[in-house]
Amino acid sequence: MNYSYSTQRTIILVSFLTVPLLLLLTFSYYPLVSLFYYSFMEWDGLTEKVFVGLRNYREIFTNAEYFGVLKNNAYYFIGGLLQTSLALYFAVLLNSKLKGRNGFRVILFLPYIMHSVAIVFMFQALYNNQYGTLNAFLDLVGLQGLKRDWLGDPSVVNYALAFVSMWKYMGLSMVIFLGTLQSIPQDIYEAARIDGASSTQQFLHITLPGIRKVMELLLLLTLTGALEAFEIPYIMMLGANNTETFIIKTVDVAFKFQQVGLGSALAVVMLIIVLVFVGLQRLLVKGGDEA
């Protein structure tokens, strides 16, 4: 059977698109629709589903406990901002003609490719109140007053967990910044140096404008990552000692307390919160572009 070139091209395109579309529908859109469906149900995951309308949402918005855990997400947002700043600093430094820069790049990127469970074990040993490396180091340098029960003291535990997350993901941000910095033509820097521009002036007037779009992307990832913080605090603390984030609360409600309907409603609320914050950021960025 002979087909025209246009028909063959259409068949090939449809064939290549079918599998990705099926995967997308199966693992993204179907679960999303199911999530909204379950959020209107009372269900323990095993027995008969009972339609309860908006009752799960009323429970969420009338119980301060659910939104109260968002204050713990703020620690990860602040840590994410520090992480982005440090990543930019190291990217600028390692983009220069520094001896051994490739080795430093590998060292700083290594935490990102390490498994989170291994990282948790490392930092549990570091933070341990009795034999932890951090307290031993503070003792060694004469800073005994700074010693803490880093995972047992509610006033510092969230800072400690946010630092772990910052340490893990800083390498990824640094590599993204490095790739962007290397895309800026060196001729611009050469011309600026000839005109007498200092390193600070080059950074403010060449580097920052050149990486602005990437900074916007990383700030977006920082915001969404902070709202969705789960892996590090859950593996290390299981949400104990006032370390529960919104996602940990959602998982516990759905699986530990077997309230799948309420957990689904919490997930929908988190989705809406993320979309609102992303929309606000896009509006602010768009306003900055117009200015």
Side-chain angles (χ1 to χ4, degrees), residues 149-162 237 240-243:
D149 183 0
W150 299 100
L151 298 180
D153 187 348
S155 65
V156 298
V157 62
N158 283 301
Y159 291 105
L161 294 178
M237 299 294 295
N241 199 20
N242 195 32
T243 61

Side-chain angles (χ1 to χ4, degrees), residues 79-89 166 170 173 177 215 218-219 222:
L81 294 178
L82 291 174
Q83 164 203 306
T84 304
S85 302
L86 285 171
L88 177 57
Y89 170 77
M166 182 177 71
M170 190 195 71
S173 301
F177 275 132
M215 288 189 69
L218 287 176
L219 287 174
T222 296

Side-chain angles (χ1 to χ4, degrees), residues 21-232:
L21 282 174
L22 286 175
L23 292 173
L24 187 65
L25 289 170
T26 304
F27 296 106
S28 292
Y29 292 110
Y30 174 72
L32 179 63
V33 172
S34 299
L35 184 69
F36 278 94
Y37 170 72
Y38 293 143
S39 71
F40 296 107
M41 301 290 171
E42 181 181 338
W43 187 38
D44 61 4
L46 297 172
T47 58
E48 189 77 18
K49 304 180 189 69
V50 178
F51 180 78
V52 294
L54 297 174
R55 192 176 78 185
N56 290 326
Y57 291 98
R58 284 197 298 269
E59 167 69 16
I60 293 169
F61 286 99
T62 56
N63 191 338
E65 176 188 357
Y66 295 114
F67 285 103
V69 297
L70 281 173
K71 71 180 187 300
N72 293 334
N73 292 82
Y75 292 97
Y76 297 91
F77 179 67
I78 295 170
L81 294 178
L82 291 174
Q83 164 203 306
T84 304
S85 302
L86 285 171
L88 177 57
Y89 170 77
F90 284 114
V92 172
L93 186 64
L94 296 177
N95 193 46
S96 62
K97 295 179 180 179
L98 182 71
K99 187 176 181 180
R101 60 181 178 175
N102 289 331
F104 286 114
R105 290 174 183 176
V106 171
I107 291 171
L108 291 172
F109 185 70
L110 186 61
Y112 177 70
I113 62 175
M114 292 178 64
H115 198 280
S116 296
V117 175
I119 290 174
V120 165
F121 284 138
M122 286 170 51
F123 276 90
Q124 281 178 336
L126 179 73
Y127 288 143
N128 189 276
N129 184 40
Q130 297 180 345
Y131 56 81
T133 311
L134 181 55
N135 280 343
F137 174 77
L138 293 173
D139 220 358
L140 183 66
V141 297
L143 297 174
Q144 293 88 350
L146 296 179
K147 291 171 63 176
R148 293 287 188 278
D149 183 0
W150 299 100
L151 298 180
D153 187 348
S155 65
V156 298
V157 62
N158 283 301
Y159 291 105
L161 294 178
F163 177 80
V164 179
S165 182
M166 182 177 71
W167 182 81
K168 175 176 172 60
Y169 293 104
M170 190 195 71
L172 175 63
S173 301
M174 181 199 69
V175 168
I176 294 173
F177 275 132
L178 266 173
T180 310
L181 289 172
Q182 291 173 1
S183 69
I184 301 174
Q186 291 300 310
D187 296 345
I188 301 177
Y189 289 102
E190 290 291 341
R193 281 192 286 269
I194 292 171
D195 288 339
S198 64
S199 298
T200 302
Q201 290 173 325
Q202 292 175 43
F203 178 76
L204 292 175
H205 300 289
I206 300 175
T207 304
L208 282 183
I211 64 173
R212 180 181 172 185
K213 292 297 181 183
V214 172
M215 288 189 69
E216 292 171 4
L217 171 64
L218 287 176
L219 287 174
L220 175 63
L221 293 176
T222 296
L223 177 62
T224 56
L227 289 171
E228 298 169 358
F230 170 75
E231 198 175 32
I232 298 296

